[in-house]
Amino acid sequence: QQQVKQSPQSLIVQKGGIPIINCAYENTAFDYFPWYQQFPGKGPALLIAIRPDVSEKKEGRFTISFNKSAKQFSLHIMDSQPGDSATYFCAAVVQGAQKLVFGQGTRLTINP
Amino acid sequence: EAGVVQSPRYKIIEKKQPVAFWCNPISGHNTLYWYLQNLGQGPELLIRYENEEAVDDSQLPKDRFSAERLKGVDSTLKIQPAELGDSAVYLCASSPRWREEQFFGPGTRLTVL
């Protein structure tokens, strides 16, 4: 019940396309859903996050869509660029704690 | 502002040998985390410190892993003896306080031969 399931495992998109990464969870006690971006040889860095009381959040070219009833959330990257090529992790935090539960990750490649 | 510093960045050892990883968190950050990241997987929490106190070590394999955070600043994670399955990236993260954004270091990539 603590798992966060992420898909796809890898994704290749042409420059300018809109990659979409999906995550699903079971634990209704999760109340904070961040996305992390990780480049090779670096640690994960917070990209954008959402709480379950809103259905969408945008920050620049990055958008999180959240479906509370389906217990699913997704990351969309608008006008994707080769520099967006990285591994993306969704995560969830248990209410009342700061224990990040990460998804398995998606390796995203944006071709020029 | 300097980020989380970890050393060494890479370590290759033979199985049954001991190994230690060091982490210097962002100045002023009270909360420190150690994570394990296996290849192709998301990080998994090993231990969380609030100042000097280990407040969540439920996922730390205590038969071979140990950690300390003396004076509530730097931290060391030790494995003794290392096993082949310990090959992974060990990430350190810090946050100003519990429940606030975590900032990750670059990690130490351990290879056990």
Side-chain angles (χ1 to χ4, degrees):
Chain A
Q1 205 182 24
Q2 288 290 321
Q3 286 185 326
V4 177
K5 296 183 179 180
Q6 183 173 346
S7 63
Q9 190 173 4
S10 63
L11 184 59
I12 300 174
V13 173
Q14 291 298 120
K15 177 183 174 182
I18 306 176
I20 300 173
I21 304 170
N22 300 298
C23 287
Y25 64 97
E26 290 295 325
N27 189 351
T28 56
F30 288 142
D31 69 344
Y32 180 67
F33 300 88
W35 284 88
Y36 285 81
Q37 180 187 55
Q38 186 175 27
F39 292 104
K42 304 291 186 182
L46 180 64
L47 189 62
I48 185 173
I50 196 168
R51 295 197 180 274
D53 52 346
V54 297
S55 60
E56 186 176 275
K57 183 174 182 180
K58 292 183 180 180
E59 286 188 4
R61 297 183 294 107
F62 300 91
T63 299
I64 300 177
S65 297
F66 189 87
N67 186 329
K68 187 175 181 178
S69 61
K71 292 187 249 181
Q72 296 175 348
F73 58 109
S74 59
L75 177 70
H76 303 229
I77 305 177
M78 308 301 290
D79 187 27
S80 58
Q81 301 296 314
D84 297 328
S85 297
T87 299
Y88 291 81
F89 293 95
C90 62
V93 181
V94 176
Q95 189 173 36
Q98 189 59 5
K99 186 170 184 174
L100 282 165
V101 178
F102 284 87
Q104 297 88 338
T106 296
R107 177 174 287 187
L108 174 65
T109 302
I110 307 298
N111 287 330
Chain B
E1 180 182 83
V4 176
V5 178
Q6 291 188 248
S7 68
R9 293 295 314 277
Y10 304 92
K11 188 73 175 179
I12 301 174
I13 62 171
E14 293 189 348
K15 63 181 181 182
K16 300 184 181 180
Q17 294 299 307
V19 64
F21 315 123
W22 175 79
C23 173
N24 178 239
I26 294 173
S27 178
H29 281 197
N30 295 329
T31 308
L32 184 145
Y33 311 79
W34 283 102
Y35 287 87
L36 165 70
Q37 185 174 25
N38 287 306
L39 185 65
Q41 299 293 319
E44 299 173 40
L45 180 69
L46 289 172
I47 189 169
R48 172 170 66 95
Y49 280 93
E50 295 293 338
N51 298 304
E52 304 88 354
E53 184 180 1
V55 295
D56 184 356
D57 63 355
S58 58
Q59 301 302 311
L60 188 72
K62 298 181 184 64
D63 57 336
R64 297 185 299 108
F65 286 65
S66 64
E68 60 182 10
R69 190 183 184 197
L70 300 176
K71 301 182 181 179
V73 182
D74 295 358
S75 179
T76 302
L77 178 69
K78 299 179 181 178
I79 308 175
Q80 182 170 13
E83 297 179 352
L84 295 175
D86 296 332
S87 295
V89 174
Y90 292 82
L91 293 164
C92 179
S94 69
S95 62
R97 279 165 294 281
W98 185 47
R99 299 189 186 184
E100 297 187 1
E101 179 184 348
Q102 297 180 32
F103 296 84
F104 284 82
T108 296
R109 181 177 294 277
L110 173 67
T111 301
V112 182
L113 302 175

